[in-house]
Amino acid sequence: NLLQVWHAAHTLELPHIADVVMSQLVASVSVGSCLYYLEVALQLEGEAPGIAALRRACQALVLRRPLPVLTHDGALHLSQAAMEHLLRRDDLCLPEESVWHWLLQWGRFHAGFKTDSKFDPSVLEAAEAMSDEDIRSAMWVYGYDTLDRSCP
């Protein structure tokens, strides 16, 4: 895959090849690949500065189309660090209620209460009736009481 080719070119110090492959990676960012590439880019950014272009492309797609990206199959696999990275952004065009609903499902999945990583739209309907205190209590029960201080 392109990510492996880019990593090999970067490791072997072949900057021209790494740049060409990175431009292909950036062009290939889609709703389905966005969060995977973002996760990888955030993990490698300190040791491979060239990967920042991929991170920026992923962030741009999340900002343009947050609901399709965050409700895509497998989106709940996002790590806590990547999730916090996205939710700390002031320019995430998503209503606060939707963020809380997604965060609730993400917490349930990571705490083991939800085994299917597919986003469940019925949770949005059920969560509509929940107060902020109910949501915070649910996150604490699921073991994510520390998220309250890290989320906007």
Side-chain angles (χ1 to χ4, degrees):
N1 89 28
L2 284 174
L3 195 54
Q4 291 172 327
V5 173
W6 173 84
H7 190 261
H10 174 75
T11 303
L12 296 171
E13 298 180 7
L14 302 169
H16 180 68
I17 294 173
D19 290 346
V20 169
V21 174
M22 181 53 67
S23 68
Q24 292 298 311
L25 270 169
V26 167
S28 73
V29 171
S30 67
V31 167
S33 65
C34 180
L35 294 179
Y36 170 73
Y37 284 156
L38 177 66
E39 190 82 51
V40 170
L42 289 171
Q43 290 175 11
L44 293 177
E45 198 159 29
E47 56 191 79
I51 198 100
L54 184 59
R55 177 189 46 79
R56 287 190 301 271
C58 294
Q59 287 173 335
L61 182 58
V62 171
L63 295 177
R64 278 193 321 269
R65 303 188 65 209
L67 275 176
V69 171
L70 293 176
T71 58
H72 191 271
D73 286 356
L76 298 178
H77 284 282
L78 198 63
S79 71
Q80 183 172 342
M83 181 271 305
E84 288 177 2
H85 177 81
L86 286 176
L87 296 185
R88 282 189 176 148
R89 296 190 59 96
D90 290 334
D91 50 356
L92 183 62
C93 295
L94 201 57
E96 188 173 326
E97 296 82 25
S98 295
V99 171
W100 278 112
H101 300 167
W102 184 84
L103 187 57
L104 180 61
Q105 282 197 57
W106 179 89
R108 290 184 67 216
F109 177 75
H110 283 269
F113 289 97
K114 178 176 172 39
T115 57
D116 179 11
S117 66
K118 186 174 174 89
F119 186 82
D120 181 4
S122 67
V123 170
L124 291 179
E125 295 165 10
E128 299 261 334
M130 294 178 76
S131 69
D132 287 348
E133 187 57 36
D134 291 336
I135 292 172
R136 283 186 182 85
S137 296
M139 294 305 292
W140 181 82
V141 167
Y142 296 137
Y144 285 91
D145 56 317
T146 59
L147 291 177
D148 194 38
R149 66 168 186 236
S150 63
C151 293

